[in-house]
Amino acid sequence: MTKSVILKKTELNHFIEALARSAAVVAPIAKGVKSFAFEEVRDGKTLSLKYIPTILPPKKYFMPQREKIQEFDRKAFRWTPVKENGFEKLVIFGVHTCDLSGIQFLNQVMGEDPKDVNYLARMEKITVIGLECNDYCDSYASCAVMKTHLPSGGYDLFFTELAGSFFVDVATPKGEAIVKGTGLFKDAGEVEKKEFENLRAKKEKIFRQEVKPANENLKGIFARSFRSEVWDDLDRRCVACGNCTNVCPTCYCFDIRDEMDLNLTTGARTRVWDSCQNEEFAKVAGGENFRGKRGARQRHRYMRKFNYPVDRFQRYSCTGCGRCSRTCMAKINLKETIDTLAEALS
Amino acid sequence: MGKVRVAFFDFACCEGCQLQVANMGESLLDVLGAIDVVEFREVMSEKSNDYDVAVIEGSITTPHAVERIKEIRKTAKILIAYGSCATIGGVNGMKNNFDLSDIRNYVYQDKARFFETIPTRAVHQVVPVDYFVHGCPVYLPEFVKVLKCALAGIPYRVPDSAVCTECKLNENECMYDKGITCLGPVTRAGCNSWCVNNGNICYGCRGMVTNPAENGAKDILEKYQIPLEWVENKMNMYNKAREQDTERNPDGKKC
C-alpha cells in the first residue's frame, strides 16, 4: 500500500499540534549538554530533528522501566494478573531507522508464545513515525554494517527531511488515517521524488561498513570467540554499571519484585528492567554466581546481540545505534570489540 | 497479638534520618497503624526498655557507645541499622583519617581527657545487624520497604548494582557528560538515583558495591582526566569506615 506524500517543513508545527489533539505525542528533545530523550511534546517547536540516539530507546513506551504485573493476597493465596486495557493512544515521532529495527526485534520476541500481553496491547495503541538519518549521528554508530541505516518497515509513516519539505512514506492504514485526518499533506511531485533519490544515492556514499568484518561474518566471529582473550581485557575495564544494557533498544531482561502493603497481606508484583551486567544477575540461592566475572558478563551481552539471537530469531539483535559505546563509563567500544575479535581469529 | 514495638535510638549522627521519618507526611499515619513506637527521642518524651525492633541511627565512636549498642542488641529481636552513619560509618568515618589522640585534642582542646574516643565504626562492625537502610539521609520508600520486611520476617536485599542502573532508568543526563565527577558507577543502588534526579551528583552515601572494579574505575578517571585523590577524597567522605570491615563482619552479610 506504500505511497509517498509531502509535508512542507513550515507545516511541521501544525502537524504535531494536530496529532497532539487526539493522542499523546512524544518526540526527541534536547536534554542537557549533549543528550536527548523522547518526551511528550505539544507542538513542533521543542523537538529536535537533528539528534543523536536518545538516552533510552523508544522501547520504554512498549515495556516501561517499572510495570505492575500482578496483585496478590498472601492470606487468600491469590495472585491476580494486572492486564491493563487502559492504554492511551500514543504517537512516537522521529524514530531513527536503528530504533525502528529495535522495535521490530522486540515485537518479534514479545509476540512469540508465551505472548507478552501488555506489550502487545501497548503496541496496538502506538503509532510510529520514523525519521531518516541523512548523515551519521556520530562515530559510535555502526548502522551500515547492521544494515539499519535505511528503513525496512516497522513504521506507520516515515519522514525523510529534504530542503523544504519532508518526503513521507505511508506504510499502514494507521499512517494513511493520519495523512487524511490532518489534511496537511500533498502528493509528492517529480521534484521531490528526484531530491529524495539523490539523497538516498548520497547516503550510499556516506554510510560505509564501520567495522572490518562484513555483516554475514559477524555471527561466525562471535561463535568462535567464546574463549577469546578480548573478554579478559573487557573484564579489566568494565565497571559493571549496567549502562550498556539499560540503554540497548533490544535488551529485555527483567527482574520481578514483590512488595507488600503495610497490612502485610496484600501487595503488588512489579517487573523492573534488569541487566546481565549487574553483579547479582546470575547469582542463585547459596551464593553461587554463574557469571561472577565482569568479562564473562560482557561476553554474554555481546553473544546476546551477535550469536544467540541468530539461532533463536534468525537475526542480529544489535541495531548499530551505538548507545552502548556512547554511554559506557569505561569507553568499551562495540566497533573496537568486533574488530579486535576478528583480528584475533585471522 | 499486639502491634510490634519499635524503638529509635541515636548514636554519633545528626538525627536527620530520624527527621525524615518525622517528616514523612500522611503516610506516617499508615506506618503508625502497623507499629507501636515506644521510644523516639526526636518526637516523643516516653522511653522504654521493652521493644521488638530497634532502629539505630549513628555510628559507634566511643567505648560508652559500644556498651550501649550491645545492650540494645540484647533486648531487640530485630536490629535495623538506619542511615549512612549506622550502615557504613558515614561522615563520622572521616575521623579515621587522623591520628586518634591528635584529633581528640584538636576537637576537645584542654577538656580532651574527659572524652574517650575510638575509631569510628558502623553498627555491624560492633554487633550483628539484621537489616540495612543505607543513605544520607535514608530514602523513605526504602525505609518503609525494609520495615515491612522486618514486620513480615522476610529478608530485605539491598541492591548490589551501581546507582547508574537506576539513574539510566530515570533517563538522567550522565554527570560525566557534563564534565562532573559522580560516584554513581561504584555506589550501590536503592535510592532511585535521588540526588542525580534533582541535579546533584552521587556522593556515595550508600556505600560501595561489593565488587567494585578498581582497574576499570582508574580507566574512567584517566579518560576524563580526573586525579585519583579527588575521587578518593569524595569516596572517603562517607566510606572511610569501610576499612574497619573484617572477614567476621563483612558488610551486608546478614541480608
Side-chain angles (χ1 to χ4, degrees):
Chain A
M1 74 158 333
T2 179
K3 133 182 174 184
S4 307
V5 291
I6 290 293
L7 178 75
K8 277 195 176 159
K9 271 190 184 173
T10 47
E11 295 284 10
L12 180 67
N13 193 37
H14 286 138
F15 174 64
I16 303 288
E17 279 175 353
L19 287 177
R21 263 179 238 128
S22 59
V25 181
V26 294
I29 64 158
K31 191 159 183 170
V33 186
K34 49 181 169 182
S35 303
F36 294 86
F38 278 100
E39 283 182 13
E40 187 160 1
V41 292
R42 304 226 157 261
D43 53 47
K45 289 170 197 157
T46 46
L47 65 85
S48 303
L49 283 173
K50 292 223 177 343
Y51 73 97
I52 61 167
T54 47
I55 302 175
L56 293 182
K59 80 171 174 191
K60 67 178 178 178
Y61 296 113
F62 294 82
M63 40 175 295
Q65 295 92 314
R66 300 168 187 84
E67 179 182 23
K68 188 159 96 172
I69 55 170
Q70 277 185 348
E71 283 169 349
F72 61 80
D73 184 323
R74 290 206 307 161
K75 290 218 171 99
F77 286 99
R78 193 173 53 232
W79 279 262
T80 318
V82 177
K83 194 180 166 193
E84 294 192 44
N85 300 311
F87 300 126
E88 300 286 322
K89 276 207 278 180
L90 179 76
V91 180
I92 311 180
F93 176 84
V95 184
H96 282 164
T97 43
C98 53
D99 284 343
L100 290 175
S101 156
I103 294 171
Q104 283 176 312
F105 179 79
L106 287 183
N107 290 351
Q108 186 180 346
V109 173
M110 299 301 177
E112 271 197 0
D113 283 328
K115 290 181 173 40
D116 190 302
V117 283
N118 281 354
Y119 181 100
L120 297 175
R122 279 198 193 83
M123 194 175 88
E124 285 299 307
K125 293 281 183 184
I126 295 178
T127 302
V128 179
I129 303 182
L131 177 66
E132 179 141 19
C133 297
N134 296 356
D135 198 350
Y136 273 117
C137 47
D138 60 23
S139 60
Y140 292 110
S142 56
C143 45
V145 70
M146 300 321 298
K147 302 186 172 173
T148 61
H149 64 302
L150 292 170
S152 62
Y155 55 82
D156 298 292
L157 292 174
F158 188 78
F159 278 46
T160 303
E161 190 181 0
L162 303 177
S165 59
F166 293 100
F167 192 85
V168 181
D169 182 36
V170 187
T172 64
K174 249 193 228 172
E176 179 96 44
I178 289 176
V179 169
K180 282 203 180 124
T182 56
L184 294 166
F185 295 78
K186 62 180 180 108
D187 285 343
E190 284 309 310
V191 182
E192 287 98 355
K193 278 183 184 160
K194 187 77 198 148
E195 204 185 340
F196 175 73
E197 278 163 21
N198 288 344
L199 185 130
R200 282 284 167 90
K202 198 172 147 202
K203 268 185 79 170
E204 287 300 313
K205 293 203 182 78
I206 298 172
F207 288 83
R208 290 296 172 93
Q209 186 181 311
E210 299 85 354
V211 292
K212 288 181 194 114
N215 179 292
E216 53 275 20
N217 296 333
L218 291 173
K219 152 83 176 163
I221 287 170
F222 279 89
R224 287 157 59 209
S225 296
F226 196 81
R227 303 198 188 284
S228 172
E229 285 172 5
V230 171
W231 311 124
D232 298 331
D233 176 50
L234 297 194
D235 185 71
R236 199 190 64 79
R237 291 160 63 195
C238 174
V239 292
C241 65
N243 282 358
C244 50
T245 54
N246 278 327
V247 302
C248 178
T250 60
C251 278
Y252 50 80
C253 286
F254 56 84
D255 190 17
I256 295 285
R257 296 184 192 160
D258 287 349
E259 195 179 342
M260 285 174 291
D261 302 326
L262 268 164
N263 61 25
L264 303 185
T265 301
T266 57
R269 171 166 287 190
T270 310
R271 175 163 76 173
V272 187
W273 290 5
D274 202 355
S275 165
C276 57
Q277 302 306 303
N278 290 346
E279 182 76 19
E280 292 176 307
F281 186 82
K283 216 177 201 176
V284 294
E288 180 61 38
N289 192 343
F290 291 104
R291 281 194 291 271
K293 283 180 65 114
R294 286 178 284 268
R297 301 206 285 269
Q298 278 292 333
R299 175 177 63 198
H300 182 71
R301 170 174 84 88
Y302 276 104
M303 293 293 176
R304 285 291 304 257
K305 301 298 153 193
F306 295 98
N307 186 8
Y308 311 148
V310 181
D311 298 332
R312 182 72 176 73
F313 301 108
Q314 294 75 50
R315 61 189 293 172
Y316 294 122
S317 67
C318 175
T319 70
C321 69
R323 280 190 180 87
C324 54
S325 313
R326 208 173 280 119
T327 193
C328 179
M329 296 306 302
K331 301 293 170 238
I332 292 170
N333 187 305
L334 180 130
K335 283 159 57 180
E336 279 172 26
T337 306
I338 292 175
D339 279 338
T340 320
L341 287 173
E343 208 170 298
L345 290 174
S346 62
Chain B
M1 196 182 82
K3 281 196 268 184
V4 174
R5 295 164 65 82
V6 180
F8 286 76
F9 299 103
D10 39 72
F11 288 78
C13 65
C14 72
E15 297 185 38
C17 288
Q18 289 170 81
L19 193 64
Q20 289 291 308
V21 172
N23 281 346
M24 197 186 273
E26 229 173 284
S27 44
L28 182 59
L29 296 174
D30 296 333
V31 172
L32 292 176
I35 59 172
D36 194 2
V37 179
V38 294
E39 177 162 348
F40 193 157
R41 191 168 72 107
E42 200 167 72
V43 298
M44 59 195 263
S45 306
E46 292 84 348
K47 296 202 177 298
S48 172
N49 287 319
D50 177 19
Y51 43 85
D52 307 301
V53 178
V55 180
I56 310 295
E57 181 177 344
S59 30
I60 310 302
T61 56
T62 65
H64 171 246
V66 173
E67 292 316 308
R68 190 171 157 236
I69 190 68
K70 283 182 176 165
E71 280 307 309
I72 293 172
R73 179 69 264 193
K74 270 187 212 157
T75 309
K77 295 187 187 83
I78 293 170
L79 189 141
I80 303 177
Y82 176 74
S84 295
C85 298
T87 62
I88 59 170
V91 288
N92 302 313
M94 281 193 276
K95 177 168 87 170
N96 301 358
N97 279 322
F98 303 91
D99 177 85
L100 212 52
S101 55
D102 281 359
I103 198 73
R104 182 178 169 190
N105 288 324
Y106 180 81
V107 172
Y108 297 108
Q109 303 282 320
D110 60 334
K111 305 287 186 300
R113 67 184 189 283
F114 300 118
F115 296 92
E116 245 189 296
T117 190
I118 56 170
T120 299
R121 278 184 282 172
V123 175
H124 71 272
Q125 292 165 344
V126 183
V127 295
V129 168
D130 302 302
Y131 294 92
F132 291 87
V133 188
H134 294 285
C136 176
V138 294
Y139 182 57
L140 273 181
E142 189 184 30
F143 169 64
V144 175
K145 222 183 266 182
V146 171
L147 188 65
K148 287 187 288 196
C149 289
L151 296 178
I154 56 177
Y156 172 72
R157 194 178 54 81
V158 178
D160 196 14
S161 52
V163 168
C164 294
T165 55
E166 292 173 336
C167 198
K168 271 287 161 294
L169 263 53
N170 291 322
E171 216 170 1
N172 293 317
E173 185 190 26
C174 181
M175 283 293 165
Y176 286 85
D177 280 344
K178 298 188 197 178
I180 302 168
T181 317
C182 170
L183 292 181
V186 288
T187 303
R188 62 181 147 226
C191 56
N192 194 30
S193 63
W194 191 8
C195 290
V196 193
N197 297 351
N198 289 285
N200 209 336
I201 62 159
C202 170
Y203 290 95
C205 73
R206 296 177 57 84
M208 293 166 88
V209 291
T210 52
N211 182 16
E214 284 172 23
N215 282 322
K218 279 181 197 147
D219 281 357
I220 295 176
L221 301 181
E222 214 170 285
K223 202 87 198 175
Y224 289 99
Q225 297 178 323
I226 301 161
L228 183 63
E229 302 82 68
W230 287 15
V231 175
E232 263 176 356
N233 285 343
K234 248 182 192 156
M235 205 71 218
N236 283 343
M237 186 166 120
Y238 278 104
N239 288 276
K240 186 68 183 173
R242 182 170 174 258
E243 293 159 5
Q244 306 282 321
D245 269 332
T246 61
E247 283 296 314
R248 200 176 54 80
N249 60 18
D251 188 6
K253 186 75 177 180
K254 272 202 82 175
C255 290

